[in-house]
């Protein structure tokens, strides 16, 4: 126990209950810092619940109770970290928590069942959880509010079993259990009538997969019944082809026109370009973090890269200066740590590319990889998005940029677009990041990934790449419990690699009931 | 009813993807274009010098290799096709044109490409971006994709005439097939139909997998035979069938599926599924004001019943279409089926079941099924129970009327 990396057996912190035995001791300075951030998050939660509409929502919506686990979720993702890496992680998660709190506050304040602020509701546009929010960059007076993000996406991060009830609901309705649980859970929330009702219109999108597309049809039908009109953006699937770009741009023009008609607001070019300027800077900075990961001293890696990226890239998309400010701070810390050759964890044994769709109920699997086996999760598929620059002045080009953003949103840029972007690119990234191992998430209900299963193996054998499958069911830990994910790695490391864990206490943990 | 004399010929044609008529056309030097979905407009694949075959995997056994490459979570249609492809069953094709329709069919064809399942030197694959909404923007995309991915490659590779006149001629030939199928299908509206659902399914399916010009004489012969055919007497009919149903859902190319339903007492009077005639065998009516390609694409875009069309109007239209078929064909109920592991139909089946029951008040049987139903006792029991429930409903409504 102390300031030194790996000075404590982390597995001993686990109990069989929801929470851990105690907070991790990281030496006085880091523990004090970490505890102060914990207090700050608790303060934010208290202030959030002090608002009557939020308190009412807390008791109205079944999934809201999981939000008491926010501090625990941050603890899970900062486990084992010290010094600058601990600060980088807190900068990220604390801001994400604040952003989600803002989202929830808007949702409940305008919710017909809670705050019922009609004026605010008229300014809210509902967006998909898996959808880029960039279309809202042209509407400074409107609020993009995605209840799906709060009720499903973030909820499972807080409590791994947070949406199992909704999966049961949708299956009772007749949807089979083999479809992707994320859109299924979202549809389940709708069928269960457990979502805040607000908004002047909705923009849905054919995001990552057929399941997501079809889940939207249930939501859109419900919105219609509630008098909330919906526009469906049909972004092309073969997004790398020139021939589809005009169609894609026109879809966005039509969506903008729809928002203008329904809200009475006008697309604001100045605001859009200001957002793109921020977005571009964020992309430049994120690219720098990922470039550092090519070296022997990676700094911004694992879930800290993925989860923060998902919020900043997808849900914010340059609309908030706070994210740029934090990005700058992170870059400064990462540069310094790199210069000092600081390590993220105790021992570096393998450099891994994480590919496929992550287990949403176990995103802290990546810190586990580095702490238990010394496997560095350098970069993951969801972070491998287009990080180039978008036009900050050209209005004509902007529509094509927006089209590109929508076509190549997180995950979608790999699940659609042909095997080239999923299969071929994986091996390109293996070379680019000097990886000796690929951890391939086998999200068992993800048809896009499953459909390439054999070719991944075949190609890996041909190229001599160590490929480890990790099976999961995205949002349903009842199907594949967390320990099964760990066992996939444990088996491989012991049987194939003939290695002993860096921290043996983490190899088998009873966290079935943990948040 | 007497057996159809020509039926065994259709059965024979459906036993093998590379059937007798396909072999005949290939031996004449015509190129065979493989296709896997309704959303690739068929007339464009049936120009002079080429013909289309929609892929099936008849008499498929195990799917071990297909399952290895795509896991057991992908629908069996795609796994069966890949299995057959790896076995060498599609060597007779000269190219394969597929839409990015559902993810699974896309991955299936991609695996074929990566595994180089066809050894012909100039073999090529094309993947079409097909629209997911019914609007003018989608139509423009459809037209440009058909030009870029179908017509131009066929012209460059095989020298096909892709002029407007050639497309109109292809539509005319396509319509000849559709007219016969439609005429045969109309007989199913009668109280005692001259053709069963099983027979109709076999005939319709054969038109998807054979060169149109070569199967046309057989279709004409069948039509004449059916015209002259005496339907079952009411007594005989009642012995075999206790209910009339619309069969709606995902892909069915299994020769046993409709037969099993009918053996269980439900006459299939309308076929609203891929490989069915509604809407796959409806004529394309062209005008002279607009180019043929745009009109063909519009026909396919607006008649498509695939659940991947996700705008609200399309969703409502699909359900209304099934309900209308139930009325037009005097069906007692609807069987909504889904190939197991099919994502689009997983949702569509659940929502269709709910909507048809609750909003249209139509009795529905909701089932998922494997690619080959064979003699599935499970499905048979489900259909039998459904038929019984329909009969009980009839009795109860009669009693209600009497009161």
């Amino acid at each position: 126990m102390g300031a030194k990396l790996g000075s404590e057996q982390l597995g001993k912190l686990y109990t069989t209950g929801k929470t851990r035995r105690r907070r991790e001791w990281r030496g006085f300075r880091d523990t004090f810092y970490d505890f102060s951030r914990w207090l700050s998050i608790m303060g934010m939660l208290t202030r959030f619940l002090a608002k009557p509409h939020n308190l009412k929502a807390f008791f109205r919506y079944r999934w809201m109770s999981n939000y008491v686990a926010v501090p625990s979720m941050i603890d899970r993702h900062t486990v084992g970290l010290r010094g600058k890496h601990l600060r980088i992680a807190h900068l990220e998660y604390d801001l994400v928590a604040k952003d989600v709190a803002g989202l929830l506050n808007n949702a409940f304040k305008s919710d017909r069942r809670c705050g019922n602020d009609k004026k605010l509701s008229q300014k809210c546009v509902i967006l998909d959880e898996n959808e880029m929010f960039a279309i809202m960059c042209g509407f400074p007076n409107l609020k993009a509010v995605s209840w799906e993000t709060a009720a499903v996406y973030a909820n499972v991060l807080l409590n791994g079993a947070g949406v199992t009830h909704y999966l049961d609901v949708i299956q009772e309705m007749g949807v089979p259990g083999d479809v992707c649980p994320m859109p299924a859970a979202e549809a389940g929330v709708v069928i269960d009538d457990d979502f805040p009702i607000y908004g002047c219109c909705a923009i849905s999108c054919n995001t990552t997969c057929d399941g997501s597309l079809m889940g939207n049809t249930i939501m859109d039908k419900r919105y219609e019944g509630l008098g909330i009109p919906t526009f469906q953006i049909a972004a092309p699937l073969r997004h790398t082809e020139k021939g589809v770009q005009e169609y894609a741009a026109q879809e966005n023009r039509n969506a903008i026109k729809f928002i203008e008609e329904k809200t009475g607001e006008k697309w604001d070019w100045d605001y859009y370009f200001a957002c793109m300027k921020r977005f571009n800077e964020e992309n430049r900075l994120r690219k720098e973090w990922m470039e550092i990961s090519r070296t022997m001293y990676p700094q911004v890696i694992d879930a800290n890269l993925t989860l923060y990226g998902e919020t900043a890239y997808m849900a914010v998309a340059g609309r908030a200066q706070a994210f740029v400010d934090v990005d700058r701070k992170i870059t400064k810390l990462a540069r310094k740590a790199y210069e000092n050759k600081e390590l993220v964890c105790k021992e570096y044994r393998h450099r891994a590319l994480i590919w496929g769709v992550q287990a949403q109920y176990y995103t802290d699997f990546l810190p586990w990889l580095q702490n238990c086996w010394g496997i560095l999760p350098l970069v993951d598929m969801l972070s491998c998005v287009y990080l180039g620059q978008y036009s900050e002045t050209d209005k004509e080009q902007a529509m094509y940029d927006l089209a590109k953003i929508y076509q190549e949103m997180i995950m979608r840029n790999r699940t659609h677009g042909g095997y080239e972007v999923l299969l071929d690119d994986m091996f390109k990234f293996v070379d680019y990041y000097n990886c000796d191992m690929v951890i391939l998430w086998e999200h068992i209900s993800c048809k896009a990934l499953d459909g390439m299963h054999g070719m991944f193996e075949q190609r890996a054998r041909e190229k001599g790449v160590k490929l480890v499958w990790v099976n999961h069911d995205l949002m349903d830990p009842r199907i594949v419990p967390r320990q099964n994910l760990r066992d996939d790695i444990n088996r491989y490391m012991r049987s194939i690699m003939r290695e002993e864990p860096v921290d043996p206490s983490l190899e088998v943990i009873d966290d079935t009931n943990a948040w | 009813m007497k057996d159809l004399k020509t039926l065994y010929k259709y059965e024979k044609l459906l036993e093998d993807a590379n059937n007798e008529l396909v072999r005949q056309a290939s031996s004449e030097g015509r190129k065979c274009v493989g296709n896997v979905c309704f959303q690739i407009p068929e007339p464009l694949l049936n120009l002079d010098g080429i013909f289309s075959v929609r892929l099936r995997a008849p008499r498929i056994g195990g799917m071990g290799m297909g399952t290895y490459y795509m896991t057991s979570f992908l629908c069996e249609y795609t796994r069966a096709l890949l299995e057959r492809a790896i076995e060498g069953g599609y060597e007779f094709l000269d190219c394969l044109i597929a839409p990015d329709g559902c993810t699974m069919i896309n991955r299936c064809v991609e695996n074929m490409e990566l595994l180089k399942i066809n050894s012909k030197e100039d073999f090529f694959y094309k993947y079409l971006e097909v629209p997911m909404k019914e609007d003018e923007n989608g139509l423009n995309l459809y037209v440009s994709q058909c030009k870029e991915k179908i017509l131009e490659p066929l012209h460059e590779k095989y020298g096909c005439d892709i002029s407007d006149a050639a497309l109109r001629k292809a539509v005319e030939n396509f319509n000849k097939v559709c007219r016969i199928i439609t005429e045969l299908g109309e007989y199913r509206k009668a109280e005692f139909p001259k053709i069963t659902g099983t027979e109709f399914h076999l005939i319709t399916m054969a038109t998807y997998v054979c060169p149109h010009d070569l199967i046309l004489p057989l279709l004409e012969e069948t039509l004449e035979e059916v015209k002259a055919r005496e339907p079952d007497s009411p007594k005989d009919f009642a012995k075999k069938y206790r209910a009339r149903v619309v069969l709606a859902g995902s892909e069915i190319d299994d020769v046993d599926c409709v037969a099993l339903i009918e053996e269980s007492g439900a006459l299939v009077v309308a076929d609203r599924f891929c490989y069915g005639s509604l809407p796959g065998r409806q004529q394309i009516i062209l005008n002279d004001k607009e180019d043929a390609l745009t009109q063909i694409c519009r026909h396919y875009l607006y008649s498509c019943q695939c659940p991947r069309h996700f705008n609200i109007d399309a969703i409502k239209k699909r359900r209304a279409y099934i309900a209308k078929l139930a009325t037009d064909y005097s069906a007692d109920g609807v069987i909504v089926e889904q190939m197991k592991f099919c994502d689009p139909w997983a949702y569509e089946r659940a929502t269709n079941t709910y909507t048809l029951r609750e909003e249209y008040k139509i009795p529905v049987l909701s089932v998922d099924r494997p690619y080959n139903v064979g003699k599935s006792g499970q499905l048979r029991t489900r259909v039998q129970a459904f038929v019984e429930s329909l009969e009980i409903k009839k009795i109860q409504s009669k009693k209600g009327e009497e009161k």
Side-chain angles (χ1 to χ4, degrees):
Chain A
M1 280 206 302
K4 216 176 138 195
L5 280 167
S7 56
E8 183 171 15
Q9 292 213 315
L10 295 168
K12 289 184 178 169
L13 295 178
Y14 286 81
T15 64
T16 52
K18 287 200 181 304
T19 54
R20 306 251 163 116
R21 198 174 306 281
R22 58 170 169 78
R23 299 193 66 73
E24 185 186 351
W25 180 254
R26 310 169 196 250
F28 178 75
R29 211 174 147 190
D30 282 348
T31 304
F32 181 77
Y33 169 77
D34 187 50
F35 189 65
S36 70
R37 299 318 307 156
W38 181 84
L39 277 178
S40 155
I41 291 291
M42 290 303 278
M44 191 175 76
L45 272 177
T46 312
R47 286 194 299 279
F48 175 82
L49 284 176
K51 292 178 182 165
H53 53 264
N54 291 339
L55 190 64
K56 196 172 172 187
F58 188 81
F59 292 104
R60 168 63 182 81
Y61 301 110
R62 181 188 184 105
W63 44 267
M64 263 309 286
S65 60
N66 292 321
Y67 276 84
V68 298
V70 172
S72 161
M73 178 260 175
I74 296 176
D75 286 346
R76 288 200 298 272
H77 289 83
T78 53
V79 65
L81 297 178
R82 301 283 189 275
K84 295 185 185 64
H85 305 117
L86 179 67
R87 280 149 186 83
I88 287 172
H90 269 300
L91 279 168
E92 292 178 344
Y93 291 117
D94 295 0
L95 182 59
V96 171
K98 196 175 161 191
D99 188 66
V100 175
L103 183 159
L104 284 169
N105 188 47
N106 281 329
F108 297 143
K109 195 172 176 194
S110 52
D111 182 7
R112 293 179 199 172
R113 292 163 171 149
C114 296
N116 200 20
D117 184 335
K118 286 177 184 158
K119 212 173 157 191
L120 176 64
S121 181
Q122 281 306 302
K123 295 284 172 197
C124 290
V125 177
I126 307 170
L127 273 90
D128 266 1
E129 153 273 317
N130 232 346
E131 178 181 354
M132 289 295 291
F133 281 30
I135 202 151
M136 300 309 291
C137 290
F139 296 104
N141 303 322
L142 298 179
K143 292 189 185 298
V145 186
S146 163
W147 65 261
E148 294 170 31
T149 305
V152 177
Y153 172 88
N155 209 7
V156 177
L157 293 177
L158 305 173
N159 175 4
V163 297
T164 50
H165 165 75
Y166 302 109
L167 291 172
D168 292 343
V169 168
I170 195 71
Q171 285 174 26
E172 275 169 26
M173 193 204 160
V175 173
D178 60 75
V179 300
C180 176
M182 187 179 282
E186 289 161 2
V189 174
V190 169
I191 300 296
D192 216 19
D193 203 19
D194 206 22
F195 66 104
I197 301 168
Y198 59 85
C200 149
C201 61
I203 301 290
S204 68
C205 182
N206 57 335
T207 57
T208 50
C209 61
D210 293 339
S212 170
L213 171 96
M214 293 308 296
N216 279 349
T217 62
I218 291 181
M219 276 164 258
D220 296 348
K221 185 87 188 354
R222 180 78 175 105
Y223 293 151
E224 191 192 38
L226 293 167
I228 302 168
T230 308
F231 183 89
Q232 293 89 0
I233 296 178
L237 306 180
R238 303 204 75 82
H239 52 80
T240 57
E241 293 181 6
K242 274 186 189 169
V244 303
Q245 299 309 319
E246 182 49 47
Y247 169 79
Q250 189 56 42
E251 276 298 282
N252 285 316
R253 287 187 202 109
N254 293 347
I256 290 167
K257 196 177 161 209
F258 173 85
I259 298 173
E260 287 181 337
E261 281 171 6
K262 300 300 169 196
T263 62
E265 290 288 328
K266 282 282 156 210
W267 177 263
D268 181 336
W269 280 111
D270 292 336
Y271 184 67
Y272 171 80
F273 287 129
C275 290
M276 280 304 114
K277 206 172 174 180
R278 284 194 286 263
F279 195 47
N280 283 337
E281 184 178 350
E282 288 185 85
N283 284 351
R284 285 194 297 274
L285 296 174
R286 193 155 309 124
K287 218 169 166 181
E288 187 178 335
W289 310 344
M290 290 166 75
E291 282 298 301
I292 295 175
S293 293
R294 295 178 66 194
T295 71
M296 291 299 288
Y297 299 100
Q299 302 300 329
V300 187
I301 61 169
D302 72 53
N304 300 345
L305 181 70
T306 321
L307 294 181
Y308 178 67
E310 282 181 19
T311 308
Y313 189 87
M314 194 155 67
V316 178
R319 291 180 302 121
Q321 181 60 32
F323 280 83
V324 184
D325 296 341
V326 160
D327 283 359
R328 287 176 188 159
K329 284 180 192 168
I330 293 170
T331 310
K332 215 171 155 185
L333 286 165
R335 281 178 192 158
K336 254 188 192 166
Y338 172 72
E339 282 161 17
N340 298 340
K341 298 183 177 176
E342 287 176 30
L343 301 185
V344 181
C345 60
K346 186 183 173 186
E347 196 179 325
Y348 290 3
R349 288 186 186 168
H350 300 283
R351 297 171 59 85
L353 175 73
I354 311 298
W355 206 249
V357 182
Q358 67 191 355
Q360 193 73 4
Y361 59 84
Y362 194 17
T363 47
D364 50 318
F365 175 76
L366 300 186
W368 176 85
L369 274 179
Q370 62 195 36
N371 290 325
C372 184
W373 288 102
I375 299 170
L376 282 189
L378 294 171
V379 176
D380 64 287
M381 187 182 90
L382 305 188
S383 300
C384 291
V385 285
Y386 177 75
L387 293 174
Q389 300 293 288
Y390 294 101
S391 177
E392 296 173 13
T393 51
D394 186 339
K395 293 180 183 176
E396 187 58 29
Q397 180 57 38
M399 281 301 127
Y400 292 93
D401 288 349
L402 204 54
K404 187 177 176 62
I405 292 171
Y406 264 77
Q407 289 173 87
E408 300 194 11
M409 59 184 81
I410 289 178
M411 201 191 308
R412 187 185 203 276
N413 67 332
R414 305 281 161 205
T415 52
H416 292 311
Y419 63 83
E420 295 89 345
V421 292
L422 181 70
L423 179 70
D424 296 352
D425 279 3
M426 184 184 93
F427 292 97
K428 283 182 196 161
F429 284 117
V430 167
D431 292 338
Y432 191 76
Y433 288 102
N434 305 308
C435 298
D436 66 330
M437 185 177 267
V438 175
I439 307 291
L440 224 164
W441 291 114
E442 178 96 307
H443 164 18
I444 58 173
S445 314
C446 178
K447 313 293 187 338
L449 266 294
D450 291 348
M452 275 291 129
H453 178 98
M455 289 313 303
F456 276 125
E457 281 194 355
Q458 191 165 310
R459 198 70 74 81
R461 277 199 302 275
E462 287 164 9
K463 290 181 177 285
V465 173
K466 292 181 192 75
L467 186 149
V468 194
W469 290 106
V470 178
N471 290 275
H472 67 86
D473 197 23
L474 192 71
M475 296 225 156
D476 197 343
R478 297 171 304 183
I479 308 294
V480 188
R482 290 173 181 138
Q483 185 57 43
N484 287 37
L485 277 73
R486 293 191 287 268
D487 283 342
D488 283 337
I489 297 291
N490 295 342
R491 269 194 300 269
Y492 189 91
M493 295 309 287
R494 284 193 178 275
S495 310
I496 313 294
M497 305 302 289
R498 300 264 167 212
E499 287 182 18
E500 288 294 321
V502 176
D503 181 350
S505 72
L506 283 169
E507 206 175 351
V508 178
I509 317 160
D510 187 359
D511 60 349
T512 315
N513 299 319
W515 269 326
Chain B
M1 255 187 330
K2 278 185 183 170
D3 285 347
L4 280 180
K5 275 186 272 175
T6 46
L7 198 65
Y8 84 97
K9 291 183 185 170
Y10 294 102
E11 286 172 343
K12 200 82 191 144
L13 289 170
L14 291 168
E15 279 181 1
D16 190 1
N18 187 15
N19 60 47
E20 188 191 331
L21 297 184
V22 171
R23 290 198 298 274
Q24 185 186 331
S26 297
S27 69
E28 289 165 0
R30 290 157 71 183
K31 300 290 182 187
C32 179
V33 184
N35 169 28
V36 288
C37 179
F38 167 86
Q39 293 178 85
I40 304 293
E42 229 178 320
L44 306 183
L45 313 178
N46 286 280
L47 303 166
D48 279 348
I50 58 168
F51 66 97
S52 68
V53 167
R54 191 138 153 206
L55 297 190
R56 298 170 60 238
R59 296 188 289 185
I60 192 78
M63 297 180 200
M65 289 185 287
T67 304
Y68 166 69
Y69 280 102
M70 301 204 295
T71 82
S72 55
F73 266 69
L74 265 72
C75 87
E76 284 191 358
Y77 175 59
T78 59
R79 280 189 277 150
L81 291 190
L82 183 59
E83 184 82 14
R84 178 54 46 88
I86 295 170
E87 288 169 347
Y90 301 133
E91 279 282 358
F92 67 94
L93 299 177
D94 291 288
C95 62
L96 182 46
I97 299 178
D100 269 20
C102 62
T103 302
M104 288 176 261
I105 202 70
N106 174 244
R107 288 289 184 240
C108 167
V109 178
E110 285 187 333
N111 271 285
M112 290 184 192
E113 184 185 351
L114 289 163
L115 292 165
K116 298 184 176 60
I117 55 101
N118 191 296
S119 54
K120 284 181 184 163
E121 215 168 85
D122 57 352
F123 191 91
F124 68 89
Y125 293 87
K126 288 289 170 189
Y127 302 94
L128 247 77
E129 176 78 40
V130 284
M132 294 183 167
K133 285 195 322 194
E134 298 167 3
D135 59 12
E136 285 306 297
N137 194 29
L139 181 62
N140 293 338
L141 174 76
Y142 214 172
V143 171
S144 69
Q145 286 285 298
C146 286
K147 267 186 203 160
E148 186 192 332
K149 305 276 183 64
I150 303 177
L151 296 179
E152 285 166 9
L154 290 176
H155 175 66
E156 282 164 24
K157 290 267 184 182
Y158 307 133
C160 290
D161 179 1
I162 54 169
S163 63
D164 192 67
L167 298 191
R168 285 178 187 272
K169 193 181 154 200
V171 170
E172 208 178 300
N173 291 334
F174 173 78
N175 283 348
K176 283 180 191 167
V177 171
C178 294
R179 271 196 292 273
I180 295 179
I181 295 294
T182 306
E183 203 174 331
L184 286 170
E186 286 293 305
Y187 285 116
R188 297 176 299 175
K189 288 182 179 171
E191 191 180 359
F192 305 109
K194 285 182 172 188
I195 190 165
T196 67
T198 307
E199 291 164 342
F200 185 77
H201 183 219
L202 296 181
I203 296 165
T204 305
M205 210 162 35
T207 65
Y208 285 100
V209 298
C210 293
H212 291 167
D213 58 328
L214 297 183
I215 201 168
L216 206 54
L218 185 61
L219 289 173
E220 282 163 351
E221 192 187 335
T222 308
L223 180 61
E224 291 310 313
E225 204 185 338
V226 173
K227 274 182 189 170
R229 199 184 200 191
E230 280 298 318
D232 276 330
S233 66
K235 203 177 162 188
D236 289 342
F237 182 85
K239 271 185 200 167
K240 287 188 211 164
Y241 307 113
R242 292 142 62 196
R244 298 165 65 100
V245 296
V246 173
L247 182 57
S250 65
E251 197 270 359
I252 302 177
D253 72 61
D254 176 13
V255 291
D256 294 327
C257 187
V258 179
L260 186 142
I261 293 169
E262 295 201 328
E263 281 166 16
S264 308
L267 179 72
V268 176
V269 289
D271 50 343
R272 196 333 25 242
F273 49 81
C274 306
Y275 265 106
S277 68
L278 303 164
R281 284 291 172 254
Q282 288 174 340
Q283 291 187 68
I284 302 171
I285 309 299
L286 298 182
N287 62 48
D288 295 329
K289 290 174 194 159
E290 199 175 26
D291 66 281
L293 179 60
T294 307
Q295 293 182 67
I296 293 169
C297 290
R298 185 178 291 112
H299 170 86
Y300 276 89
L301 180 63
Y302 286 93
S303 64
C304 181
Q305 298 293 318
C306 181
R308 68 190 290 282
H309 280 216
F310 73 123
N311 52 316
I312 289 282
D313 291 344
I315 296 167
K316 285 184 189 167
K317 208 170 86 178
R318 285 200 294 274
R319 283 159 202 164
Y321 184 59
I322 298 174
K324 187 174 182 307
L325 288 179
T327 310
D328 291 352
Y329 287 80
S330 315
D332 303 308
V334 175
I335 298 179
V336 182
E337 57 81 23
Q338 171 223 336
M339 175 98 60
K340 215 166 164 42
F341 301 115
C342 170
D343 277 0
W345 277 101
Y347 282 91
E348 187 78 350
R349 177 168 68 90
T351 49
N352 273 358
T353 302
Y354 178 82
T355 311
L356 290 170
R357 271 185 198 148
E358 299 299 320
E359 290 176 21
Y360 290 94
K361 309 295 177 199
I362 299 173
V364 180
L365 170 66
S366 179
V367 287
D368 60 8
R369 60 173 188 86
Y371 178 56
N372 280 326
V373 296
K375 299 289 172 198
S376 166
Q378 201 177 32
L379 185 58
R380 192 181 296 272
T381 308
R382 298 282 313 272
V383 178
Q384 283 168 343
F386 182 56
V387 169
E388 276 172 29
S389 75
L390 291 174
E391 284 179 322
I392 291 166
K393 276 195 180 83
K394 273 186 203 169
I395 293 166
Q396 283 173 340
S397 66
K398 254 187 196 171
K399 274 183 188 169
E401 278 167 21
E402 282 167 11
K403 275 180 189 173

